[in-house]
């Protein structure tokens, strides 16, 4: 019907917006104008990872995110030689991490943890917070990690929650809008007054508005401006003939003229400048890049590192400024203890203060240059690092710090829980330990190793139990046979014709012998079974108990044998 249509794309449940391709009209003339700029967050991410010199990273996206919007980003990353992995995160984030631990071996988990040091999160603020919390809880996140969270709509409070949930450095990309300092300029634009509730930033209402609602408001302003211009020029085409219910209704004659007026218009609204001169879409968009830095001394800080807009690109530096120091010109007293190669005496000149060199001295000089302080260094009098005495005091360098005779202790001092309870340590920069090398012991073959899982007394009891139970089975069978013969002779007078077949059968006498009973018991012990017939209840009770006993013994033997073979390989000659 040639009706101009301003379209505002919305986010679903806070999930980052993805590219939305509008279908043109059948005649090739599109009457739909995209009030919200095209998705440019992929361009910002690509610029960001290029500035950070990332060569390999992993990109996490939620199940609600349309992955087709990443096609152009992946193509550009591939042309730049970047190694990008994609991983979908389901709504149940905890199950994602539990699946990792159930499907990966330790070596694979370590490699995956290393991959997680560089990651991009395309999630809703709530989903990203749960994801970061689970990564920290499962020890997959580290303090040297750097994660990028990209979402056009994320508030200051949500950013602070993400920052405090994460361990390492975090960078946030979000869309921003220019603000006018003069309230009159903000609230009166192109003869259209904006509600003071929206244009006054003191109320905070504008900051709480969703981005799509801002564009909706500016779209109304754009239409109002177009109506005003058409009426002012007296070029308004009546819409009285339009009837969407009638089959013979013709398109609006003024539709194309109205569309042209909107496309040539330009307003300044809540989202900044809005126009549709770039292929029927509003191209004006601006992002800010917020950076966080981690320091055990100064805590976490969030500040703007750079901005990005659709015309000038990146404006700012992404270098991490970890420390803002107020130590300029301060002189520190530094206590030390000689320990090669950390602290050593340098060549000294007579009459001048003693000079030192070494790895720790180089670190101290670098800190002094960065923070702007000076220092006086001296050796501890008792030549000790620091041990707690019986009276609760400390000697050595720790005692110098506690007594405030020194501001800083510098040497190869070992970090212990006792020392950490009274002084603050820097992050450790050396891990070392003492190891023992020894010749591998030769494996000795023992033909009796199969007997090792059980003690000799256990084997003796098992060997004694087999004949004892066999004798018990034999006796119970004989008793059962005697009873059956007595009952048979008692009933023999009734059918005299059958008395001729009453002789003992060889197979029956064989199965009732003592050797047969012991063989049955042994066969049950090695789980081979037998063809015996257990007629009486007593026999069934005895054999059932024996079967349960053999089940427990065999299971215990199998478990102990596996443990014995494993421990024997891990056993060290030196304890």
């Amino acid at each position: 019907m040639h009706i101009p249509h301003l379209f505002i794309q919305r986010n679903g449940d806070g999930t980052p917006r993805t590219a939305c391709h509008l279908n043109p009209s059948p005649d090739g003339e599109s009457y739909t104008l995209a009030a919200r700029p095209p998705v440019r967050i992929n361009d910002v991410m690509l610029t960001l990872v290029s500035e950070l010199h990332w060569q390999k990273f992993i990109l996490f996206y939620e199940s609600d995110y349309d992955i087709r919007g990443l096609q152009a980003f992946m193509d550009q990353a591939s042309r730049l030689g970047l190694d990008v992995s994609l991983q979908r995160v389901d709504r149940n984030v905890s199950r994602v991490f539990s699946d990792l631990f159930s499907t990966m071996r330790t070596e694979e988990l370590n490699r995956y943890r290393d991959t997680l040091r560089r990651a991009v999160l395309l999630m809703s603020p709530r989903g990203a917070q749960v994801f970061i919390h689970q990564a920290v809880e499962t020890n997959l996140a580290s303090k040297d990690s750097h994660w990028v969270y990209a979402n056009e709509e994320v508030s200051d409070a949500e950013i602070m929650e993400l920052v405090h949930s994460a361990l390492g450095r975090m960078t946030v990309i979000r869309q921003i809008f220019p603000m006018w300092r003069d309230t009159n300029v903000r609230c009166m634009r192109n003869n259209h007054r904006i509600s003071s509730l929206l244009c006054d930033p003191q109320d905070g209402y504008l900051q709480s508005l969703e981005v799509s609602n801002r564009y909706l408001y500016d779209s109304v302003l754009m239409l109002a401006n177009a109506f005003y211009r058409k009426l002012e020029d007296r070029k308004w085409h009546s819409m009285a003939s339009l009837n969407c219910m009638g089959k013979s209704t013709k398109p609006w004659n003024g539709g194309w003229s109205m569309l042209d007026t909107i496309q040539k218009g330009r307003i300044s609204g809540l989202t900044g400048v809005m126009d549709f001169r770039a292929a029927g879409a509003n191209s004006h968009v601006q992002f800010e890049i917020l950076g966080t830095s981690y320091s055990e001394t100064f805590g976490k800080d969030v500040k703007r590192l750079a901005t990005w807009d659709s015309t000038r690109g990146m404006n700012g530096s992404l270098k991490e400024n970890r420390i803002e120091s107020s130590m300029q010109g301060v002189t520190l007293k530094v206590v030390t203890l000689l320990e090669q190669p950390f602290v050593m005496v340098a060549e000294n000149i007579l009459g001048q203060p003693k000079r030192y060199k070494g790895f720790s001295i180089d670190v101290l000089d670098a800190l002094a240059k960065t923070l702007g302080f000076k220092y006086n260094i001296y050796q501890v009098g008792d030549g000790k690092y620091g041990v707690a005495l019986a009276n609760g005091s400390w000697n050595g360098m720790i005692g110098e710090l506690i007594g405030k005779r020194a501001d800083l202790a510098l040497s190869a001092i070992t970090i212990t829980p006792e020392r950490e309870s009274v002084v603050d340590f820097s992050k450790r920069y050396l891990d070392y330990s003492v190891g023992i090398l020894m010749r591998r012991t030769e494996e000795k073959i023992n033909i009796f190793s199969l007997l090792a899982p059980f003690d000799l007394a256990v084997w003796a009891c098992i060997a004694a139990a087999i004949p004892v139970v066999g004798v018990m089975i034999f006796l119970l069978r004989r008793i059962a046979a005697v009873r059956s013969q007595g009952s048979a002779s008692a009933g023999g007078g009734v059918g005299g014709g059958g008395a001729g077949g009453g002789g003992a059968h060889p197979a029956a006498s064989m199965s009732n012998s003592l050797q047969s009973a012991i063989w049955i018991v042994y066969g049950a012990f090695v789980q081979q079974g037998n063809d015996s017939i257990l007629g009486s209840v007593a026999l069934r009770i005895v054999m059932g108990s024996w079967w349960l006993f053999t089940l427990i013994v065999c299971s215990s033997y199998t478990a102990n044998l596996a443990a014995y073979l494993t421990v024997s390989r891990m056993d060290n000659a030196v304890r």
Side-chain angles (χ1 to χ4, degrees):
M1 302 306 293
H2 294 183
I3 306 296
H5 167 223
L6 269 64
F7 171 70
I8 298 99
Q9 184 184 4
R10 291 182 176 270
N11 296 35
D13 299 329
T15 304
R17 193 167 58 108
T18 187
C20 178
H21 302 286
L22 301 176
N23 296 323
S25 303
D27 55 0
E29 297 177 353
S30 176
Y31 282 84
T32 296
L33 302 176
R36 195 166 180 178
V39 178
R40 302 298 300 273
I41 201 165
N42 293 345
D43 300 330
V44 185
M45 289 193 304
L46 194 64
T47 306
L48 181 65
V49 296
S50 300
E51 289 286 331
L52 295 174
H53 304 290
W54 284 8
Q55 294 298 320
K56 182 179 181 180
F57 60 94
I58 186 169
L59 195 151
F60 294 95
Y61 64 94
E62 283 183 320
S63 56
D64 296 337
Y65 183 78
D66 190 351
I67 194 175
R68 293 174 295 179
L70 290 174
Q71 183 63 48
F73 174 80
M74 298 298 292
D75 292 341
Q76 290 177 314
S78 177
R79 284 194 292 269
L80 294 175
L82 304 180
D83 185 1
V84 185
S85 303
L86 294 177
Q87 183 166 341
R88 174 179 168 178
V89 179
D90 295 328
R91 291 184 179 272
N92 191 352
V93 180
S94 58
R95 189 180 66 182
V96 175
F97 287 95
S98 61
D99 291 344
L100 288 176
F101 281 91
S102 61
T103 56
M104 288 187 177
R105 298 190 299 271
T106 304
E107 297 81 2
E108 294 174 329
L109 277 174
N110 290 333
R111 287 195 295 269
Y112 188 76
R113 184 181 290 109
D114 184 66
T115 305
L116 277 180
R117 291 176 61 249
R118 301 289 180 263
V120 177
L121 307 181
L122 284 175
M123 302 179 180
S124 63
R126 177 58 183 166
Q129 185 179 359
V130 175
F131 180 86
I132 294 173
H133 177 74
Q134 289 291 330
V136 173
E137 286 291 319
T138 54
N139 201 26
L140 287 177
S142 57
K143 288 187 177 181
D144 62 343
S145 62
H146 185 181
W147 288 0
V148 175
Y149 177 70
N151 196 333
E152 290 173 320
E153 297 189 50
V154 54
S155 64
D156 294 341
E158 291 168 337
I159 290 176
M160 295 308 300
E161 289 179 357
L162 293 174
V163 168
H164 288 105
S165 299
L167 276 181
R169 183 182 176 188
M170 191 149 194
T171 302
V172 179
I173 303 172
R174 69 172 176 180
Q175 186 176 356
I176 56 173
F177 304 97
M179 295 292 294
W180 281 264
R181 296 184 179 180
D182 188 359
T183 306
N184 294 326
V185 175
R186 286 201 310 272
C187 297
M188 184 69 69
R189 299 175 189 152
N190 300 335
N191 299 323
H192 307 299
R193 180 162 185 85
I194 301 175
S195 169
S196 60
L197 184 64
L198 295 175
C199 67
D200 192 353
Q202 295 179 355
D203 295 336
Y205 182 74
L206 185 61
Q207 283 73 19
S208 64
L209 272 182
E210 292 183 5
V211 174
S212 55
N213 290 338
R214 290 172 179 250
Y215 282 106
L216 184 63
Y217 196 97
D218 286 355
S219 299
V220 175
L221 287 184
M222 176 64 81
L223 286 176
N225 182 55
F227 287 137
Y228 179 83
R229 290 171 57 191
K230 295 292 289 185
L231 293 173
E232 190 179 48
D233 297 340
R234 303 192 177 204
K235 294 181 180 179
W236 177 255
H237 294 269
S238 174
M239 303 178 68
S241 61
L242 283 176
N243 183 8
C244 294
M245 302 303 295
K247 296 182 180 180
S248 60
T249 303
K250 295 181 179 181
W252 183 32
N253 292 331
W256 182 254
S257 175
M258 186 66 183
L259 180 69
D260 184 64
T261 302
I262 296 174
Q263 287 182 314
K264 291 180 179 179
R266 184 183 180 95
I267 68 160
S268 296
L270 300 182
T271 61
V273 177
M274 175 182 283
D275 62 46
F276 300 100
R277 299 174 185 178
N282 178 25
S283 60
H284 301 281
V285 63
Q286 187 177 6
F287 293 90
E288 71 172 346
I289 301 173
L290 303 173
T292 68
S293 58
Y294 178 82
S295 170
E296 292 183 349
T297 305
F298 296 95
K300 290 185 178 181
D301 185 30
V302 181
K303 58 184 178 181
R304 179 184 290 182
L305 300 179
T307 59
W308 187 98
D309 58 56
S310 52
T311 56
R312 293 175 295 179
M314 182 77 72
N315 181 24
S317 175
L318 298 180
K319 291 184 178 180
E320 183 180 12
N321 298 321
R322 286 184 173 269
I323 302 174
E324 295 181 357
S325 174
S326 60
M327 300 178 65
Q328 198 75 28
V330 176
T331 301
L332 300 180
K333 292 179 289 183
V334 181
V335 61
T336 188
L337 181 64
L338 298 181
E339 179 74 34
Q340 294 184 356
F342 303 97
V343 180
M344 300 175 289
V345 177
E347 295 181 1
N348 293 293
I349 302 175
L350 187 62
Q352 293 187 2
K354 186 177 290 186
R355 298 175 56 212
Y356 297 90
K357 63 179 181 179
F359 177 81
S360 297
I361 301 298
D362 293 341
V363 173
L364 181 63
D365 289 337
L367 284 173
K369 182 178 179 181
T370 303
L371 301 176
F373 66 84
K374 300 177 181 179
Y375 64 88
N376 294 324
I377 190 169
Y378 70 96
Q379 294 186 37
V380 63
D382 56 6
K384 298 181 181 299
Y385 286 105
V387 179
L389 304 177
N391 58 3
S393 62
W394 286 73
N395 60 11
M397 291 191 295
I398 303 296
E400 295 289 307
L401 291 175
I402 295 176
K404 301 186 182 300
R405 294 181 292 275
D407 303 308
L408 181 70
L410 185 77
S411 186
I413 181 170
T414 306
I415 302 174
T416 63
E418 294 78 15
R419 292 171 177 169
E420 281 188 311
S421 64
V422 292
V423 297
D424 290 329
F425 280 91
S426 67
K427 297 178 74 172
R428 66 180 187 272
Y429 52 79
L430 176 67
D431 291 321
Y432 77 98
S433 60
V434 178
I436 298 176
L437 293 178
M438 59 187 222
R439 184 179 179 182
R440 179 181 294 177
T441 57
E442 297 180 358
E443 296 182 0
K444 297 180 180 179
I445 300 175
N446 187 1
I447 60 175
F448 297 105
S449 59
L450 292 177
L451 302 178
F454 285 163
D455 194 63
L456 182 61
V458 178
W459 286 116
C461 291
I462 293 174
I466 292 176
V468 169
V469 177
V471 171
M472 189 181 301
I473 296 296
F474 169 71
L475 293 176
L476 290 174
R477 283 193 165 188
R478 291 299 297 268
I479 294 172
V482 170
R483 288 180 177 176
S484 62
Q485 289 178 1
S487 60
S489 60
V494 177
H505 196 277
S509 61
M510 181 64 185
S511 61
N512 290 331
S513 64
L514 178 60
Q515 296 90 335
S516 174
I518 296 177
W519 180 254
I520 292 172
V521 173
Y522 176 75
F525 183 78
V526 296
Q527 299 179 346
Q528 294 301 317
N530 54 77
D531 297 331
S532 62
I533 300 175
L534 304 177
S536 65
V537 177
L539 278 170
R540 293 177 180 175
I541 293 175
V542 173
M543 285 304 298
S545 303
W546 177 252
W547 288 338
L548 182 61
F549 169 74
T550 57
L551 176 64
I552 296 173
V553 170
C554 291
S555 301
S556 302
Y557 176 80
T558 304
N560 287 338
L561 181 61
Y564 169 77
L565 296 176
T566 304
V567 172
S568 62
R569 288 194 299 267
M570 299 170 57
D571 193 17
N572 294 322
V574 176
R575 290 183 174 84

